[in-house]
Amino acid sequence: MTTMKAIKYSDRKYSCPIAIVGMPGIGLVGSIMTSFVIRELKMEVVAAITSPEFPPYTLIQNGKPYPPIRIYG
């Protein structure tokens, strides 16, 4: 059974949230597009999802480590 854990970095409330999911694929277009939207809208990480069953890697941005699955707001 998969065990996942949500980590909250912020308690901000949103009135009309919209989800944009960037999945890696051919040419990484989904990941590149999602990164572009996050950067242009100046979003910050508000939560993350971790699991012992995820691959053992992290993303380093501006000297901070982040889990593979991040939620921006």
Side-chain angles (χ1 to χ4, degrees):
M1 179 181 236
T2 302
T3 305
M4 288 197 245
K5 180 181 174 186
I7 302 167
K8 286 175 57 174
Y9 298 121
S10 173
D11 287 327
R12 293 176 64 180
K13 302 289 183 205
Y14 299 95
S15 59
C16 294
I18 297 173
I20 299 173
V21 180
M23 302 293 285
I26 297 173
L28 297 174
V29 174
S31 298
I32 293 168
M33 183 276 307
T34 306
S35 295
F36 175 77
V37 170
I38 290 166
R39 187 174 48 252
E40 289 298 308
L41 296 178
K42 297 178 177 34
M43 297 174 143
E44 59 186 51
V45 178
V46 295
I49 299 173
T50 63
S51 171
E53 297 182 30
F54 289 169
Y57 73 90
T58 188
L59 173 74
I60 308 279
Q61 279 187 325
N62 300 323
K64 293 182 181 179
Y66 291 103
I69 299 178
R70 295 166 309 282
I71 301 168
Y72 291 82

Coordinates of all heavy atoms in Angstrom, one line a residue:
M1 N 0.8 -1.2 0.0 CA 0.0 0.0 0.0 C 0.9 1.2 0.0 O 1.8 1.3 0.8 CB -0.9 0.0 1.2 CG -1.8 1.2 1.3 SD -2.9 1.1 2.8 CE -4.4 1.2 2.0
T2 N 0.6 2.2 -0.8 CA 1.3 3.4 -0.9 C 1.0 4.4 0.2 O -0.1 4.6 0.5 CB 1.0 4.1 -2.3 OG1 1.3 3.3 -3.3 CG2 1.8 5.4 -2.4
T3 N 2.1 4.9 0.8 CA 1.9 5.8 1.9 C 2.4 7.2 1.4 O 3.6 7.3 1.0 CB 2.7 5.4 3.1 OG1 2.4 4.1 3.5 CG2 2.5 6.4 4.3
M4 N 1.5 8.2 1.4 CA 1.9 9.5 0.9 C 1.7 10.5 2.1 O 0.8 10.3 2.9 CB 1.1 10.0 -0.3 CG 1.5 9.3 -1.5 SD 0.9 10.1 -3.0 CE -0.2 9.0 -3.6
K5 N 2.5 11.5 2.1 CA 2.5 12.5 3.2 C 2.4 13.9 2.5 O 3.3 14.2 1.7 CB 3.7 12.4 4.1 CG 3.7 13.4 5.2 CD 4.9 13.2 6.1 CE 5.0 14.2 7.1 NZ 6.3 14.2 7.9
A6 N 1.5 14.7 2.9 CA 1.4 16.1 2.4 C 2.1 17.0 3.5 O 1.9 16.9 4.7 CB 0.0 16.5 2.3
I7 N 2.9 17.9 3.0 CA 3.7 18.9 3.8 C 3.2 20.3 3.4 O 3.3 20.7 2.3 CB 5.2 18.8 3.6 CG1 5.7 17.3 3.8 CG2 5.9 19.8 4.4 CD1 7.1 17.1 3.3
K8 N 2.6 21.0 4.4 CA 2.2 22.3 4.2 C 3.3 23.3 4.5 O 3.8 23.2 5.6 CB 0.9 22.6 5.0 CG -0.3 22.0 4.5 CD -1.5 22.2 5.4 CE -1.9 23.6 5.6 NZ -3.1 23.8 6.4
Y9 N 3.5 24.2 3.6 CA 4.5 25.3 3.8 C 3.8 26.6 4.1 O 4.4 27.6 4.6 CB 5.4 25.5 2.6 CG 6.3 24.3 2.3 CD1 6.2 23.7 1.1 CD2 7.2 23.7 3.2 CE1 7.0 22.5 0.8 CE2 7.9 22.6 2.9 CZ 7.8 22.0 1.7 OH 8.6 20.9 1.4
S10 N 2.5 26.7 3.8 CA 1.8 28.0 3.9 C 0.3 27.6 4.3 O -0.2 26.6 3.8 CB 1.9 28.7 2.6 OG 1.0 29.9 2.7
D11 N -0.3 28.5 5.0 CA -1.7 28.4 5.3 C -2.6 29.3 4.5 O -3.7 29.6 4.9 CB -2.0 28.6 6.8 CG -1.4 27.5 7.7 OD1 -1.5 26.3 7.2 OD2 -1.0 27.7 8.8
R12 N -2.1 29.8 3.4 CA -2.9 30.7 2.6 C -4.2 30.1 2.1 O -4.3 28.9 1.8 CB -2.1 31.2 1.3 CG -0.9 32.0 1.7 CD -0.1 32.3 0.5 NE -0.8 33.2 -0.4 CZ -0.4 33.6 -1.5 NH1 0.9 33.3 -1.9 NH2 -1.1 34.4 -2.3
K13 N -5.2 30.9 1.9 CA -6.5 30.4 1.4 C -6.7 31.0 0.0 O -6.4 32.1 -0.3 CB -7.7 30.9 2.3 CG -7.6 30.4 3.8 CD -7.8 29.0 3.9 CE -7.8 28.6 5.4 NZ -7.4 27.3 5.6
Y14 N -7.3 30.2 -0.9 CA -7.6 30.6 -2.3 C -9.0 30.6 -2.6 O -9.7 29.7 -2.2 CB -6.8 29.7 -3.2 CG -5.3 29.8 -3.0 CD1 -4.7 28.9 -2.2 CD2 -4.5 30.8 -3.6 CE1 -3.3 28.9 -2.0 CE2 -3.2 30.9 -3.3 CZ -2.6 30.0 -2.5 OH -1.2 30.0 -2.3
S15 N -9.6 31.6 -3.3 CA -11.0 31.7 -3.5 C -11.4 30.8 -4.7 O -12.5 30.2 -4.6 CB -11.4 33.1 -3.7 OG -10.7 33.7 -4.8
C16 N -10.7 30.8 -5.8 CA -11.0 30.0 -7.0 C -9.8 29.3 -7.5 O -9.3 29.7 -8.6 CB -11.7 30.9 -8.1 SG -13.2 31.6 -7.6
P17 N -9.3 28.3 -6.8 CA -8.1 27.6 -7.3 C -8.3 26.9 -8.6 O -9.4 26.3 -8.9 CB -7.7 26.7 -6.2 CG -9.0 26.4 -5.5 CD -9.9 27.7 -5.6
I18 N -7.2 26.8 -9.4 CA -7.2 26.1 -10.6 C -5.9 25.2 -10.6 O -4.9 25.7 -10.3 CB -7.2 27.0 -11.9 CG1 -8.4 27.8 -11.9 CG2 -7.0 26.2 -13.2 CD1 -8.4 28.9 -13.0
A19 N -6.0 24.0 -11.0 CA -4.9 23.1 -11.0 C -4.3 23.0 -12.4 O -5.0 22.8 -13.4 CB -5.3 21.7 -10.6
I20 N -3.0 23.2 -12.5 CA -2.2 23.0 -13.7 C -1.2 21.9 -13.4 O -0.4 22.1 -12.6 CB -1.5 24.3 -14.2 CG1 -2.5 25.4 -14.4 CG2 -0.6 24.0 -15.4 CD1 -1.9 26.7 -14.7
V21 N -1.3 20.8 -14.1 CA -0.4 19.7 -13.9 C 0.6 19.5 -15.0 O 0.2 19.5 -16.1 CB -1.3 18.4 -13.7 CG1 -0.4 17.2 -13.5 CG2 -2.4 18.5 -12.7
G22 N 1.9 19.5 -14.6 CA 2.9 19.4 -15.6 C 3.6 18.0 -15.5 O 4.4 17.8 -14.6
M23 N 3.2 17.1 -16.3 CA 3.8 15.8 -16.3 C 4.9 15.7 -17.4 O 4.8 16.2 -18.5 CB 2.7 14.8 -16.7 CG 1.5 14.8 -15.8 SD 1.9 14.3 -14.1 CE 2.1 12.5 -14.4
P24 N 6.0 15.1 -17.0 CA 7.1 14.9 -18.0 C 6.7 14.0 -19.1 O 6.0 13.0 -18.9 CB 8.3 14.3 -17.2 CG 7.6 13.7 -16.0 CD 6.4 14.5 -15.7
G25 N 7.1 14.4 -20.3 CA 6.8 13.6 -21.5 C 7.8 13.8 -22.5 O 8.9 14.2 -22.2
I26 N 7.5 13.5 -23.8 CA 8.4 13.7 -24.9 C 8.9 15.2 -24.9 O 8.0 16.1 -25.0 CB 7.8 13.3 -26.2 CG1 7.4 11.8 -26.2 CG2 8.7 13.6 -27.4 CD1 6.7 11.3 -27.3
G27 N 10.2 15.4 -24.8 CA 10.7 16.7 -24.9 C 10.5 17.5 -23.6 O 10.8 18.7 -23.6
L28 N 9.9 16.9 -22.6 CA 9.6 17.6 -21.3 C 8.8 18.9 -21.5 O 8.8 19.8 -20.7 CB 10.9 17.9 -20.6 CG 11.8 16.7 -20.2 CD1 13.1 17.2 -19.6 CD2 11.0 15.9 -19.2
V29 N 7.9 18.9 -22.5 CA 7.1 20.1 -22.8 C 6.2 20.4 -21.6 O 6.0 21.6 -21.2 CB 6.2 19.9 -24.0 CG1 5.3 21.0 -24.2 CG2 7.1 19.7 -25.2
G30 N 5.5 19.4 -20.9 CA 4.7 19.7 -19.8 C 5.4 20.3 -18.6 O 5.0 21.3 -18.0
S31 N 6.6 19.8 -18.3 CA 7.4 20.3 -17.2 C 7.9 21.7 -17.5 O 7.9 22.6 -16.7 CB 8.6 19.4 -17.0 OG 8.2 18.2 -16.5
I32 N 8.3 22.0 -18.8 CA 8.8 23.3 -19.2 C 7.7 24.3 -19.1 O 7.8 25.4 -18.6 CB 9.4 23.2 -20.6 CG1 10.7 22.4 -20.5 CG2 9.7 24.6 -21.1 CD1 11.3 22.0 -21.9
M33 N 6.5 24.0 -19.6 CA 5.4 24.9 -19.6 C 4.9 25.2 -18.2 O 4.7 26.4 -17.9 CB 4.2 24.2 -20.4 CG 3.0 25.1 -20.5 SD 1.8 25.1 -19.1 CE 1.4 23.5 -18.9
T34 N 4.9 24.2 -17.3 CA 4.5 24.4 -16.0 C 5.5 25.3 -15.2 O 5.1 26.2 -14.5 CB 4.3 23.1 -15.2 OG1 3.5 22.2 -15.9 CG2 3.8 23.3 -13.8
S35 N 6.8 25.1 -15.5 CA 7.8 25.9 -14.9 C 7.7 27.4 -15.3 O 7.9 28.3 -14.6 CB 9.2 25.4 -15.2 OG 9.4 24.1 -14.6
F36 N 7.4 27.6 -16.6 CA 7.2 28.9 -17.2 C 6.0 29.6 -16.5 O 6.2 30.8 -16.1 CB 7.0 28.8 -18.7 CG 6.7 30.1 -19.3 CD1 7.7 31.0 -19.6 CD2 5.4 30.5 -19.7 CE1 7.4 32.3 -20.1 CE2 5.1 31.7 -20.2 CZ 6.1 32.6 -20.5
V37 N 4.9 28.9 -16.4 CA 3.7 29.6 -15.7 C 4.0 29.9 -14.3 O 3.7 31.0 -13.8 CB 2.5 28.6 -15.8 CG1 1.4 29.1 -15.0 CG2 2.0 28.4 -17.3
I38 N 4.7 29.0 -13.5 CA 5.0 29.3 -12.1 C 5.9 30.5 -12.0 O 5.7 31.4 -11.2 CB 5.7 28.0 -11.5 CG1 4.7 26.9 -11.3 CG2 6.4 28.4 -10.2 CD1 5.3 25.6 -11.1
R39 N 6.9 30.6 -12.9 CA 7.9 31.7 -12.9 C 7.2 33.0 -13.3 O 7.4 34.0 -12.6 CB 9.1 31.4 -13.8 CG 10.2 32.4 -13.7 CD 11.4 31.9 -14.5 NE 11.1 31.5 -15.9 CZ 11.2 30.3 -16.3 NH1 11.5 29.3 -15.5 NH2 10.9 29.9 -17.6
E40 N 6.4 33.0 -14.3 CA 5.8 34.3 -14.8 C 4.7 34.8 -13.8 O 4.6 36.0 -13.7 CB 5.1 34.0 -16.2 CG 6.1 33.9 -17.3 CD 7.0 35.1 -17.5 OE1 6.5 36.2 -17.6 OE2 8.2 34.9 -17.5
L41 N 4.0 33.9 -13.1 CA 3.0 34.3 -12.1 C 3.6 34.5 -10.7 O 2.9 34.8 -9.8 CB 1.9 33.3 -12.1 CG 1.1 33.2 -13.4 CD1 0.0 32.1 -13.2 CD2 0.4 34.5 -13.7
K42 N 5.0 34.3 -10.6 CA 5.7 34.5 -9.4 C 5.0 33.7 -8.2 O 4.8 34.2 -7.1 CB 5.8 36.0 -9.0 CG 6.6 36.8 -10.0 CD 6.6 38.2 -9.7 CE 7.5 39.1 -10.6 NZ 7.6 38.8 -12.0
M43 N 4.7 32.5 -8.5 CA 4.1 31.6 -7.5 C 5.2 31.1 -6.5 O 6.4 31.0 -6.9 CB 3.4 30.4 -8.2 CG 2.3 30.8 -9.1 SD 1.7 29.3 -9.9 CE 0.0 29.7 -10.0
E44 N 4.8 30.7 -5.3 CA 5.7 30.1 -4.4 C 5.2 28.7 -4.0 O 4.0 28.4 -4.1 CB 5.8 31.0 -3.1 CG 4.5 31.3 -2.4 CD 4.6 32.3 -1.3 OE1 5.1 33.4 -1.6 OE2 4.1 32.0 -0.2
V45 N 6.0 27.9 -3.4 CA 5.7 26.6 -3.0 C 4.8 26.7 -1.8 O 5.2 27.3 -0.8 CB 6.9 25.7 -2.7 CG1 6.5 24.3 -2.2 CG2 7.8 25.6 -3.9
V46 N 3.6 26.1 -1.8 CA 2.7 26.2 -0.6 C 2.6 24.8 0.0 O 2.2 24.7 1.2 CB 1.3 26.8 -1.0 CG1 1.4 28.2 -1.4 CG2 0.6 26.0 -2.1
A47 N 2.9 23.7 -0.7 CA 2.8 22.4 -0.2 C 3.6 21.4 -1.0 O 4.0 21.8 -2.1 CB 1.3 21.9 -0.1
A48 N 3.8 20.2 -0.5 CA 4.5 19.2 -1.3 C 4.0 17.8 -0.9 O 3.3 17.7 0.2 CB 6.0 19.3 -1.0
I49 N 4.2 16.9 -1.7 CA 3.8 15.5 -1.4 C 5.0 14.6 -1.5 O 5.8 14.7 -2.4 CB 2.7 15.0 -2.4 CG1 1.5 16.0 -2.3 CG2 2.3 13.6 -2.2 CD1 0.4 15.7 -3.4
T50 N 5.2 13.8 -0.5 CA 6.3 12.8 -0.4 C 5.8 11.4 -0.1 O 4.7 11.2 0.4 CB 7.3 13.2 0.7 OG1 6.7 13.1 1.9 CG2 7.9 14.6 0.5
S51 N 6.6 10.5 -0.5 CA 6.3 9.1 -0.2 C 7.6 8.3 -0.3 O 8.5 8.6 -1.1 CB 5.4 8.5 -1.3 OG 5.2 7.1 -1.2
P52 N 7.8 7.3 0.6 CA 8.9 6.4 0.5 C 9.1 5.6 -0.8 O 10.1 5.2 -1.2 CB 8.8 5.4 1.7 CG 7.6 5.9 2.5 CD 6.9 6.9 1.7
E53 N 8.0 5.6 -1.5 CA 8.0 4.8 -2.8 C 8.3 5.7 -4.0 O 8.5 5.2 -5.1 CB 6.6 4.2 -3.0 CG 6.3 3.1 -2.0 CD 5.0 2.5 -2.2 OE1 4.6 2.3 -3.3 OE2 4.4 2.1 -1.2
F54 N 8.5 7.0 -3.8 CA 8.9 7.9 -4.9 C 10.4 7.7 -5.1 O 11.2 7.3 -4.2 CB 8.7 9.4 -4.5 CG 7.3 9.8 -4.5 CD1 6.9 11.0 -4.0 CD2 6.3 9.0 -5.0 CE1 5.6 11.5 -4.0 CE2 4.9 9.4 -5.0 CZ 4.6 10.6 -4.5
P55 N 10.9 8.0 -6.3 CA 12.3 7.9 -6.6 C 13.1 8.8 -5.6 O 12.7 9.9 -5.3 CB 12.5 8.4 -8.0 CG 11.1 8.4 -8.6 CD 10.2 8.5 -7.5
P56 N 14.3 8.4 -5.2 CA 15.1 9.2 -4.2 C 15.8 10.3 -4.9 O 17.1 10.3 -5.1 CB 16.1 8.1 -3.7 CG 16.3 7.2 -4.8 CD 14.9 7.1 -5.5
Y57 N 15.1 11.4 -5.3 CA 15.8 12.5 -5.8 C 15.1 13.8 -5.3 O 13.9 13.7 -4.8 CB 15.8 12.5 -7.3 CG 14.6 12.7 -8.1 CD1 14.2 14.0 -8.4 CD2 13.7 11.7 -8.4 CE1 13.0 14.2 -9.1 CE2 12.5 11.9 -9.1 CZ 12.2 13.2 -9.4 OH 11.0 13.4 -10.1
T58 N 15.7 14.9 -5.5 CA 15.1 16.2 -5.1 C 15.5 17.3 -6.1 O 16.4 17.1 -6.9 CB 15.6 16.6 -3.7 OG1 14.9 17.7 -3.2 CG2 17.1 16.9 -3.7
L59 N 14.8 18.4 -6.1 CA 15.1 19.5 -6.9 C 15.7 20.6 -6.0 O 15.2 20.9 -5.0 CB 13.8 20.0 -7.6 CG 13.9 21.3 -8.3 CD1 14.6 21.0 -9.7 CD2 12.6 21.9 -8.6
I60 N 16.8 21.2 -6.5 CA 17.4 22.3 -5.8 C 17.1 23.5 -6.5 O 17.5 23.7 -7.7 CB 18.9 22.0 -5.6 CG1 19.3 20.7 -5.1 CG2 19.5 23.2 -4.8 CD1 19.1 20.5 -3.6
Q61 N 16.5 24.5 -5.9 CA 16.2 25.8 -6.5 C 16.6 26.9 -5.5 O 16.2 26.9 -4.4 CB 14.7 26.0 -6.8 CG 14.3 25.3 -8.1 CD 12.8 25.7 -8.4 OE1 12.0 25.8 -7.6 NE2 12.6 25.8 -9.7
N62 N 17.5 27.8 -6.0 CA 18.0 28.9 -5.1 C 18.5 28.3 -3.8 O 18.4 28.9 -2.8 CB 16.9 29.9 -4.9 CG 16.3 30.5 -6.1 OD1 17.1 30.8 -7.1 ND2 15.0 30.8 -6.2
G63 N 19.2 27.2 -3.9 CA 19.9 26.6 -2.7 C 19.0 25.9 -1.8 O 19.4 25.5 -0.7
K64 N 17.7 25.7 -2.1 CA 16.7 25.0 -1.2 C 16.3 23.7 -1.9 O 16.0 23.7 -3.1 CB 15.5 25.9 -1.0 CG 15.7 27.1 -0.2 CD 14.3 27.8 -0.1 CE 14.5 29.1 0.7 NZ 13.2 29.8 0.8
P65 N 16.3 22.6 -1.1 CA 15.8 21.3 -1.7 C 14.3 21.2 -1.6 O 13.7 21.7 -0.7 CB 16.5 20.3 -0.7 CG 16.6 21.0 0.6 CD 16.9 22.5 0.2
Y66 N 13.7 20.7 -2.7 CA 12.3 20.5 -2.8 C 12.0 19.0 -3.2 O 12.7 18.4 -4.0 CB 11.7 21.4 -3.8 CG 11.7 22.9 -3.4 CD1 12.6 23.7 -4.0 CD2 10.8 23.4 -2.5 CE1 12.7 25.1 -3.6 CE2 10.8 24.7 -2.1 CZ 11.8 25.5 -2.7 OH 11.8 26.9 -2.3
P67 N 10.9 18.5 -2.7 CA 10.5 17.1 -3.1 C 10.0 17.1 -4.6 O 9.8 18.2 -5.2 CB 9.3 16.8 -2.2 CG 9.1 17.9 -1.3 CD 10.0 19.0 -1.7
P68 N 9.9 15.9 -5.2 CA 9.6 15.8 -6.6 C 8.2 16.4 -6.9 O 8.0 16.9 -8.0 CB 9.6 14.3 -6.9 CG 10.3 13.7 -5.7 CD 10.3 14.6 -4.6
I69 N 7.2 16.2 -6.0 CA 5.9 16.7 -6.3 C 5.6 18.0 -5.4 O 5.6 17.9 -4.2 CB 4.8 15.7 -6.0 CG1 5.0 14.5 -6.9 CG2 3.4 16.3 -6.2 CD1 4.1 13.3 -6.7
R70 N 5.4 19.1 -6.1 CA 5.3 20.4 -5.3 C 3.9 21.0 -5.8 O 3.5 20.9 -6.9 CB 6.4 21.3 -5.6 CG 7.7 20.8 -5.1 CD 8.9 21.5 -5.7 NE 9.0 21.7 -7.1 CZ 9.3 20.7 -8.0 NH1 9.7 19.5 -7.5 NH2 9.4 20.9 -9.3
I71 N 3.3 21.8 -4.8 CA 2.1 22.5 -5.1 C 2.4 24.0 -4.9 O 2.9 24.4 -3.9 CB 1.0 22.0 -4.2 CG1 0.7 20.6 -4.4 CG2 -0.3 22.9 -4.4 CD1 -0.1 19.9 -3.4
Y72 N 2.2 24.8 -6.0 CA 2.5 26.2 -6.0 C 1.2 27.0 -5.9 O 0.1 26.5 -6.3 CB 3.2 26.6 -7.3 CG 4.6 26.1 -7.4 CD1 4.8 24.8 -7.8 CD2 5.7 26.9 -7.0 CE1 6.1 24.3 -7.9 CE2 7.0 26.4 -7.1 CZ 7.2 25.1 -7.5 OH 8.5 24.6 -7.6
G73 N 1.3 28.2 -5.4 CA 0.1 29.1 -5.2 C 0.5 30.5 -5.3 O 1.6 30.9 -5.3

